[in-house]
Amino acid sequence: MKLTLSWLKDHLETDATLDEIVERLTSIGLEVEHVDDKSSLKPFVIAKVLTAVQHPDADRLRVLTVDTGDGKPPVQVVCGAPNARAGLIGAFAAPGTYVPGIDVTLAVGKIRGVESHGMMCSERELELSDEHNGIIDLPEDAPVGISFASYAHLDDPVIEINLTPNRPDATSVYGIARDLAASGLGRLVGGAIMPHVGNGMCPVKVTIEAPELCPGFALRLVRGVKNGPSPKWLQQRLIAIGLRPISALVDITNYVTFDRGRPLHVFDAGKVAGNLTVRRARDGEKVQALDGREYALTPEMCVISDEDGVESIAGIMGGEHSGCDENTSDVLIESALWDPITTARTGRTLGIITDARYRFERGVDPEFMVPGVELATKLVLDFCGGTPTETEVVGYAGHQPKIVSFPLSEVKRLTGIEVPSRTSLDILSRLGFEPRGSGEIVDVKVPSWRPDVDGKADLVEEVMRIHGVDNIAPQPLGAHNAVNARILTTLQVRTRTAKRALAVRGMMEAVTWSFIPAKHAELFGGGQMALKLANPIAADMSDMRPSLLPGLIAAAQRNADRGIGDVALFEVSGTYEGDGADQQRRVAAGVRRGTAKLDGSGRNWAGNSGPVGVFDAKADAIAALEACGAPVDRLQVEAGGPAWYHPGRSGTIKLGPKTVLGTFGEFHPKTLEGLDVSGPLCGFEVFVDAVPEPKAKPTKTKPKLELSAFQAVKRDFAFVVDRAVEAGTLVRAALAADKKLISGVSVFDIFEGTSLGAAKKSIAIEVSIQPVEKTLTDEDFEALARRIVENVGKQTGGVLRT
């Protein structure tokens, strides 16, 4: 929302400075995002052309001598404007001045061999209008030497406010002034609107066929208007807030939209065939809108039509056919109420963003529907003349105000500040609310311009933003009853630890969209209606994600497309199996692409790192589960996984026969093709919320952490086993050989070849041995090695490779 300081002071009688106004706006919840004090126009001064002679080498150029009013000798300027002449008074820019309309900083230069020290400017060069056929021509009494911006009242600061969606009343300059006045910064003025007596009834009648989409419609005809440019002050205000002046009739509607938050529309009555009808659009109907584009309409949209067809998209944009131009002599002024949800949906479907839509989808003041017509009528008569008819009002049954029961003690309970009851009621009254009754609980009538206020908490917010949020004293959080009281939930703790564990493994955290294309959702087990969005923000974000992997794979591909092919990404977030709260899962997932491997043992027998594969994904999944507190030593890994993985290069991690804790593997070629990605890719998903809670062991004393004083030792073993034997089975067999001495077992090599025999393979493991009572001798190590070989042989049939 943009407004100028002078515009604000049309409705706010105040002596406050710009800085005080800006500070107060932010403090009452209307955050000021930017203030443009028009500093770019300050260097331009009023200057007088003393002489103008023909350029010696150019027919269309003149050489001027210009008095800038600074007491120095006149300067020489080369000018191509057709109206450049001796005696002209205009706006001059000296060398070093930035000219915004042409995006140039002036310097002394030569034009066809003649030096030019600055320029005389047109309105377009100062971004005042599109006029550029000649330089600015001021009256003879314009004072030479003073600031042009000050003389033309262009030094009017523009304030930009970042509005929250719940404040439709602040989409108008008058509404902002009302809030400032309520805060004690001035007095609200300029609100009264006098009705106009019409000459006869409006000949154009209105029929509302869809009252659920249009609760009210007001229409007035003004005959005999002369549509030309709007007054200079109005054009300057519209330009200041980023709007282009078009004509008096159109500029009036834009002005009322911003001044009072009441969007209007004007029809050229001579182009309207018969009466108007408010109805739903029909399949196949199209309309050429004022932006020059043709839009296809659907029955979910509301339109205004005449006997020839659609004339306007209700609440969003008018049609080009019935638009006003310089030939308009009779104008229809329309002020209506439109359903906010329908307006928002229509605008989003058609891709149209207008100031009218912005206000209607938030909710406009229903009680200002008719006064809006009266205000527009006054401006039309002032600028264009004419004779108005009576206003035709259809469908409006009056506003039913909301009554909120307000316990005054809620202010203290919700904010912690003691605000006197009289002060609270006074604040609400200044904002336009009407408190009724006495005592600790009062009924408050909500004004028509505040559709966002529904309950007592909203009233507390109104009191506090005017009383001053700065008055809320910061207080520390209260201490827990016990030192070791738990703060984070189990899921929060697991989310943090899983993120740290995956980051330690060289993976980068990514945050991907919760919405994915329907095609991607179907590839990963989704696609059902329960996961489809009713109003997706984009066509390729139509489904809630059933898996984190599509987003991570797409992110990895985007990196590859930009030359970074070796990436490892992870995300810990939610996935969706349905639309219920109990059908959301907390998942830790990751993907590796290219050669982004992490060899946990620190050794790679192959030399240069190869492409990522199933075992890289498995290691990541196990690390995430371990960080979440899963009993890693009891996990079972089964071959094969969901359909999006390669059937021979994937696995499922279970805890017992039924509890699935995760899946991992290389991705199926059809999955990669469906996602339009390439390259070696593997990934995993771990279901954080499926990890069982650790069993609490009651104890009278705290567990004692014992650290061994003896050096740990590592020994390598290689076993030849049947090809069907899983590495995990061999690892568990080695661990069981001596649970007291063996602290860990890891696989660092798997080899298959004809030298081993048919259907055989070699699995090499590294065994970590941690003495706890004494230093082990060679005999102790040999005895432990025999137990390991015997245990592996019994459980897997493996023999030590020689």
Side-chain angles (χ1 to χ4, degrees):
M1 174 65 188
K2 290 184 177 181
L3 67 156
T4 66
L5 182 61
S6 66
W7 197 345
L8 177 66
K9 290 188 175 182
D10 282 354
H11 300 300
L12 184 69
E13 193 176 88
T14 180
D15 295 327
T17 64
L18 175 64
D19 290 341
E20 290 172 337
I21 291 173
V22 168
E23 182 179 358
R24 183 63 59 85
L25 283 169
T26 300
S27 70
I28 62 176
L30 303 176
E31 180 186 0
V32 175
E33 197 168 63
H34 180 67
V35 177
D36 183 3
D37 61 357
K38 294 295 182 183
S39 57
S40 62
L41 296 181
K42 290 181 179 179
F44 297 89
V45 298
I46 296 177
K48 183 175 183 179
V49 178
L50 301 179
T51 63
V53 299
Q54 187 68 40
H55 191 289
D57 293 324
D59 293 339
R60 297 187 178 183
L61 297 179
R62 291 175 179 271
V63 181
L64 315 179
T65 55
V66 179
D67 177 15
T68 61
D70 57 0
K72 297 179 181 179
V75 296
Q76 180 173 280
V77 175
V78 177
C79 180
N83 66 334
R85 66 184 188 280
L88 180 142
I89 298 178
F92 171 75
T97 301
Y98 173 73
V99 183
I102 56 176
D103 192 24
V104 168
T105 300
L106 298 179
V108 176
K110 284 188 177 182
I111 302 177
R112 294 289 185 95
V114 178
E115 277 196 353
S116 182
H117 297 259
M119 70 180 295
M120 299 296 290
C121 302
S122 68
E123 289 190 357
R124 188 172 73 171
E125 286 156 349
L126 268 62
E127 293 187 331
L128 301 180
S129 73
D130 291 333
E131 179 59 46
H132 63 285
N133 292 326
I135 56 178
I136 295 172
D137 191 349
L138 298 177
E140 294 181 358
D141 59 352
V144 175
I146 73 163
S147 166
F148 171 74
S150 176
Y151 170 81
H153 303 290
L154 298 174
D155 53 348
D156 193 5
V158 178
I159 304 170
E160 184 174 359
I161 298 173
N162 185 14
L163 287 183
T164 53
N166 67 319
R167 291 300 306 276
D169 60 302
T171 60
S172 68
V173 179
Y174 186 81
I176 294 170
R178 179 171 49 224
D179 265 18
L180 287 172
S183 72
L185 204 65
R187 186 173 69 89
L188 187 65
V189 296
I193 298 175
M194 298 300 295
H196 293 78
V197 178
N199 183 10
M201 301 301 295
C202 180
V204 180
K205 303 302 178 183
V206 179
T207 301
I208 300 178
E209 293 183 357
E212 70 279 8
L213 305 183
C214 179
F217 197 104
L219 188 70
R220 166 175 268 166
L221 174 68
V222 182
R223 296 186 177 94
V225 299
K226 185 178 181 181
N227 189 23
S230 58
K232 204 69 176 177
W233 65 266
L234 178 53
Q235 293 188 38
Q236 289 172 353
R237 283 189 175 177
L238 295 180
I239 291 171
I241 63 174
L243 297 180
R244 180 174 62 89
I246 298 173
S247 67
L249 292 176
V250 177
D251 293 352
I252 286 170
T253 63
N254 287 330
Y255 176 77
V256 176
T257 296
F258 279 83
D259 187 65
R260 296 303 185 97
R262 163 31 72 179
L264 303 171
H265 184 62
V266 287
F267 298 90
D268 187 328
K271 300 175 183 177
V272 174
N275 296 321
L276 296 178
T277 302
V278 178
R279 59 174 173 83
R280 292 181 180 273
R282 302 186 181 100
D283 276 327
E285 278 191 318
K286 296 182 179 180
V287 61
Q288 189 85 12
L290 286 171
D291 60 359
R293 297 173 58 189
E294 185 177 74
Y295 295 96
L297 308 175
T298 67
E300 288 75 30
M301 302 174 184
C302 185
V303 298
I304 305 173
S305 67
D306 62 7
E307 294 178 0
D308 291 339
V310 177
E311 292 292 352
S312 174
I313 306 172
I316 297 178
M317 185 178 290
E320 188 175 59
H321 170 263
S322 58
C324 295
D325 54 32
E326 67 277 3
N327 299 317
T328 299
S329 59
D330 296 339
V331 61
L332 286 166
I333 305 172
E334 170 250 302
S335 175
L337 300 174
W338 306 109
D339 176 57
I341 295 177
T342 302
T343 304
R345 185 184 295 117
T346 300
R348 185 162 56 243
T349 301
L350 299 179
I352 305 176
I353 299 175
T354 61
D355 294 318
R357 172 195 164 186
Y358 180 84
R359 286 158 177 81
F360 279 124
E361 66 186 8
R362 284 161 174 77
V364 300
D365 181 3
E367 291 289 86
F368 201 77
M369 181 181 72
V370 175
V373 174
E374 298 291 353
L375 177 57
T377 301
K378 177 184 183 304
L379 296 174
V380 169
L381 297 180
D382 290 345
F383 302 160
C384 307
T387 304
T389 67
E390 293 291 341
T391 301
E392 174 90 1
V393 180
V394 181
Y396 185 56
H399 173 65
Q400 296 297 322
K402 289 180 283 188
I403 305 296
V404 177
S405 180
F406 182 40
L408 296 170
S409 59
E410 286 294 282
V411 176
K412 170 69 173 177
R413 188 181 73 84
L414 294 179
T415 67
I417 293 184
E418 191 71 55
V419 180
S421 298
R422 185 180 296 276
T423 301
S424 297
L425 297 176
D426 181 53
I427 289 173
L428 293 174
S429 297
R430 296 201 304 267
L431 287 170
F433 295 85
E434 297 181 23
R436 299 172 178 177
S438 59
E440 285 301 313
I441 301 178
V442 298
D443 289 335
V444 178
K445 179 182 175 182
V446 180
S448 59
W449 58 83
R450 292 303 302 270
D452 57 304
V453 175
D454 290 312
K456 57 187 180 182
D458 297 324
L459 296 177
V460 172
E461 182 182 357
E462 293 301 301
V463 171
M464 285 316 305
R465 70 183 184 87
I466 301 300
H467 180 70
V469 179
D470 293 341
N471 292 324
I472 301 177
Q475 295 182 1
L477 290 174
H480 291 276
N481 294 330
V483 175
N484 62 342
R486 188 172 183 177
I487 298 175
L488 300 179
T489 65
T490 299
L491 203 57
Q492 289 173 329
V493 172
R494 289 177 178 176
T495 298
R496 292 187 176 193
T497 54
K499 287 182 177 181
R500 291 193 183 104
L502 295 173
V504 166
R505 294 182 60 79
M507 306 185 83
M508 302 291 291
E509 184 176 9
V511 179
T512 63
W513 286 99
S514 298
F515 320 126
I516 61 175
K519 180 181 177 182
H520 294 183
E522 291 170 2
L523 288 172
F524 287 82
Q528 59 266 38
M529 287 303 299
L531 293 179
K532 293 192 177 295
L533 299 173
N535 294 302
I537 60 176
D540 58 350
M541 291 185 174
S542 60
D543 288 48
M544 300 298 291
R545 61 185 179 194
S547 167
L548 298 180
L549 293 174
L552 290 173
I553 294 172
Q557 185 63 38
R558 284 194 295 271
N559 279 273
D561 293 341
R562 289 159 178 78
I564 307 173
D566 302 327
V567 291
L569 304 174
F570 78 89
E571 182 173 9
V572 184
S573 189
T575 62
Y576 305 88
E577 298 176 353
D579 57 359
D582 59 339
Q583 293 180 294
Q584 300 180 21
R585 305 203 68 176
R586 176 66 59 171
V587 178
V591 297
R592 291 183 183 272
R593 188 188 187 281
T595 60
K597 298 168 70 70
L598 176 69
D599 186 1
S601 68
R603 295 180 285 187
N604 194 317
W605 302 110
N608 294 331
S609 182
V612 295
V614 59
F615 294 109
D616 300 299
K618 177 185 176 183
D620 292 333
I622 296 296
L625 284 171
E626 185 176 16
C628 292
V632 179
D633 56 332
R634 294 193 285 117
L635 297 180
Q636 301 171 353
V637 179
E638 295 181 356
W644 49 89
Y645 290 116
H646 191 293
R649 301 173 189 171
S650 59
T652 301
I653 304 173
K654 291 185 175 182
L655 185 61
K658 296 182 179 180
T659 306
V660 177
L661 298 184
T663 60
F664 63 89
E666 299 176 27
F667 293 105
H668 199 290
K670 289 185 178 180
T671 302
L672 300 181
E673 182 181 355
L675 296 174
D676 193 24
V677 299
S678 61
L681 269 163
C682 68
F684 71 92
E685 278 190 305
V686 166
F687 309 121
V688 177
D689 50 9
V691 177
E693 291 270 5
K695 293 182 179 180
K697 296 181 179 180
T699 177
K700 294 182 179 180
T701 59
K702 294 182 178 180
K704 184 178 179 181
L705 179 63
E706 294 185 359
L707 298 177
S708 176
F710 304 100
Q711 180 69 41
V713 180
K714 295 182 178 181
R715 290 287 185 267
D716 295 343
F717 298 84
F719 293 95
V720 178
V721 297
D722 292 338
R723 189 174 295 170
V725 174
E726 296 179 350
T729 304
L730 191 145
V731 168
R732 287 192 291 273
L735 278 169
D738 193 322
K739 294 183 178 179
K740 188 175 182 180
L741 286 178
I742 299 176
S743 60
V745 178
S746 63
V747 178
F748 66 85
D749 184 50
I750 296 178
F751 170 74
E752 295 181 9
T754 56
S755 60
L756 298 176
K760 296 289 184 180
K761 66 180 177 181
S762 170
I763 300 178
I765 61 173
E766 181 183 74
V767 180
S768 298
I769 305 169
Q770 178 61 67
V772 292
E773 296 177 352
K774 65 175 184 177
T775 300
L776 300 182
T777 64
D778 289 342
E779 290 76 11
D780 295 329
F781 282 117
E782 290 176 2
L784 178 60
R786 285 195 297 271
R787 292 197 297 274
I788 293 173
V789 172
E790 291 173 359
N791 218 44
V792 170
K794 289 178 181 178
Q795 297 188 30
T796 68
V799 297
L800 196 64
R801 182 179 173 186
T802 58

